[in-house]
mmCIF file of all heavy atoms in Angstrom:
data_model
loop_
_atom_site.group_PDB
_atom_site.id
_atom_site.type_symbol
_atom_site.label_atom_id
_atom_site.label_comp_id
_atom_site.label_asym_id
_atom_site.label_seq_id
_atom_site.Cartn_x
_atom_site.Cartn_y
_atom_site.Cartn_z
ATOM 1 N N LYS A 493 9.365 -6.577 -8.006
ATOM 2 C CA LYS A 493 10.263 -7.727 -7.796
ATOM 3 C C LYS A 493 10.481 -7.961 -6.315
ATOM 4 O O LYS A 493 10.584 -7.046 -5.526
ATOM 5 C CB LYS A 493 11.598 -7.475 -8.504
ATOM 6 C CG LYS A 493 11.518 -7.855 -9.975
ATOM 7 C CD LYS A 493 11.668 -9.363 -10.141
ATOM 8 C CE LYS A 493 11.058 -9.872 -11.418
ATOM 9 N NZ LYS A 493 10.056 -10.904 -11.302
ATOM 10 N N GLU A 494 10.529 -9.210 -5.961
ATOM 11 C CA GLU A 494 10.510 -9.546 -4.544
ATOM 12 C C GLU A 494 11.898 -9.671 -3.915
ATOM 13 O O GLU A 494 12.007 -9.790 -2.718
ATOM 14 C CB GLU A 494 9.781 -10.885 -4.362
ATOM 15 C CG GLU A 494 8.386 -10.907 -4.927
ATOM 16 C CD GLU A 494 7.385 -10.219 -4.025
ATOM 17 O OE1 GLU A 494 7.387 -10.519 -2.829
ATOM 18 O OE2 GLU A 494 6.638 -9.369 -4.511
ATOM 19 N N GLU A 495 12.945 -9.718 -4.744
ATOM 20 C CA GLU A 495 14.272 -9.967 -4.172
ATOM 21 C C GLU A 495 14.754 -8.793 -3.314
ATOM 22 O O GLU A 495 14.279 -7.680 -3.476
ATOM 23 C CB GLU A 495 15.323 -10.178 -5.291
ATOM 24 C CG GLU A 495 15.255 -11.507 -5.987
ATOM 25 C CD GLU A 495 14.356 -11.455 -7.208
ATOM 26 O OE1 GLU A 495 14.059 -10.343 -7.648
ATOM 27 O OE2 GLU A 495 13.927 -12.530 -7.668
ATOM 28 N N GLY A 496 15.747 -9.095 -2.459
ATOM 29 C CA GLY A 496 16.427 -8.025 -1.735
ATOM 30 C C GLY A 496 15.774 -7.661 -0.412
ATOM 31 O O GLY A 496 14.985 -8.411 0.149
ATOM 32 N N ILE A 497 16.149 -6.458 0.050
ATOM 33 C CA ILE A 497 15.642 -5.990 1.351
ATOM 34 C C ILE A 497 14.463 -5.056 1.106
ATOM 35 O O ILE A 497 14.552 -4.138 0.291
ATOM 36 C CB ILE A 497 16.752 -5.221 2.102
ATOM 37 C CG1 ILE A 497 17.993 -6.092 2.241
ATOM 38 C CG2 ILE A 497 16.258 -4.728 3.443
ATOM 39 C CD1 ILE A 497 19.201 -5.336 2.792
ATOM 40 N N HIS A 498 13.371 -5.286 1.802
ATOM 41 C CA HIS A 498 12.191 -4.433 1.653
ATOM 42 C C HIS A 498 11.886 -3.782 2.994
ATOM 43 O O HIS A 498 11.838 -4.472 4.009
ATOM 44 C CB HIS A 498 10.976 -5.271 1.247
ATOM 45 C CG HIS A 498 11.150 -5.947 -0.077
ATOM 46 N ND1 HIS A 498 10.537 -5.528 -1.213
ATOM 47 C CD2 HIS A 498 11.917 -6.999 -0.440
ATOM 48 C CE1 HIS A 498 10.898 -6.287 -2.220
ATOM 49 N NE2 HIS A 498 11.738 -7.194 -1.778
ATOM 50 N N VAL A 499 11.690 -2.486 2.970
ATOM 51 C CA VAL A 499 11.315 -1.800 4.215
ATOM 52 C C VAL A 499 9.902 -1.283 4.020
ATOM 53 O O VAL A 499 9.634 -0.577 3.038
ATOM 54 C CB VAL A 499 12.262 -0.618 4.510
ATOM 55 C CG1 VAL A 499 11.993 -0.069 5.911
ATOM 56 C CG2 VAL A 499 13.713 -1.031 4.372
ATOM 57 N N MET A 500 9.003 -1.655 4.907
ATOM 58 C CA MET A 500 7.610 -1.235 4.724
ATOM 59 C C MET A 500 6.858 -1.271 6.055
ATOM 60 O O MET A 500 7.365 -1.795 7.047
ATOM 61 C CB MET A 500 6.914 -2.166 3.724
ATOM 62 C CG MET A 500 6.791 -3.596 4.170
ATOM 63 S SD MET A 500 6.017 -4.633 2.915
ATOM 64 C CE MET A 500 7.341 -4.898 1.790
ATOM 65 N N THR A 501 5.652 -0.733 6.026
ATOM 66 C CA THR A 501 4.834 -0.857 7.223
ATOM 67 C C THR A 501 4.277 -2.279 7.269
ATOM 68 O O THR A 501 4.119 -2.925 6.229
ATOM 69 C CB THR A 501 3.644 0.123 7.210
ATOM 70 O OG1 THR A 501 2.825 -0.190 6.101
ATOM 71 C CG2 THR A 501 4.095 1.559 7.140
ATOM 72 N N THR A 502 3.949 -2.730 8.470
ATOM 73 C CA THR A 502 3.421 -4.090 8.610
ATOM 74 C C THR A 502 2.115 -4.215 7.828
ATOM 75 O O THR A 502 1.822 -5.268 7.260
ATOM 76 C CB THR A 502 3.196 -4.404 10.100
ATOM 77 O OG1 THR A 502 4.352 -3.966 10.821
ATOM 78 C CG2 THR A 502 3.000 -5.880 10.337
ATOM 79 N N TYR A 503 1.340 -3.118 7.784
ATOM 80 C CA TYR A 503 0.080 -3.163 7.039
ATOM 81 C C TYR A 503 0.335 -3.535 5.579
ATOM 82 O O TYR A 503 -0.388 -4.305 4.981
ATOM 83 C CB TYR A 503 -0.633 -1.801 7.089
ATOM 84 C CG TYR A 503 -1.023 -1.415 8.492
ATOM 85 C CD1 TYR A 503 -0.222 -0.583 9.259
ATOM 86 C CD2 TYR A 503 -2.199 -1.909 9.047
ATOM 87 C CE1 TYR A 503 -0.575 -0.242 10.554
ATOM 88 C CE2 TYR A 503 -2.570 -1.571 10.339
ATOM 89 C CZ TYR A 503 -1.749 -0.737 11.090
ATOM 90 O OH TYR A 503 -2.102 -0.418 12.367
ATOM 91 N N LYS A 504 1.402 -2.946 5.011
ATOM 92 C CA LYS A 504 1.713 -3.194 3.605
ATOM 93 C C LYS A 504 2.239 -4.605 3.382
ATOM 94 O O LYS A 504 2.276 -5.083 2.253
ATOM 95 C CB LYS A 504 2.775 -2.199 3.116
ATOM 96 C CG LYS A 504 2.308 -0.776 3.098
ATOM 97 C CD LYS A 504 1.943 -0.343 1.704
ATOM 98 C CE LYS A 504 1.544 1.117 1.704
ATOM 99 N NZ LYS A 504 0.845 1.539 0.525
#
Side-chain angles (χ1 to χ4, degrees):
K493 276 280 156 236
E494 304 281 311
E495 285 91 16
I497 304 172
H498 298 255
V499 189
M500 64 182 78
T501 62
T502 315
Y503 297 96
K504 294 259 183 196

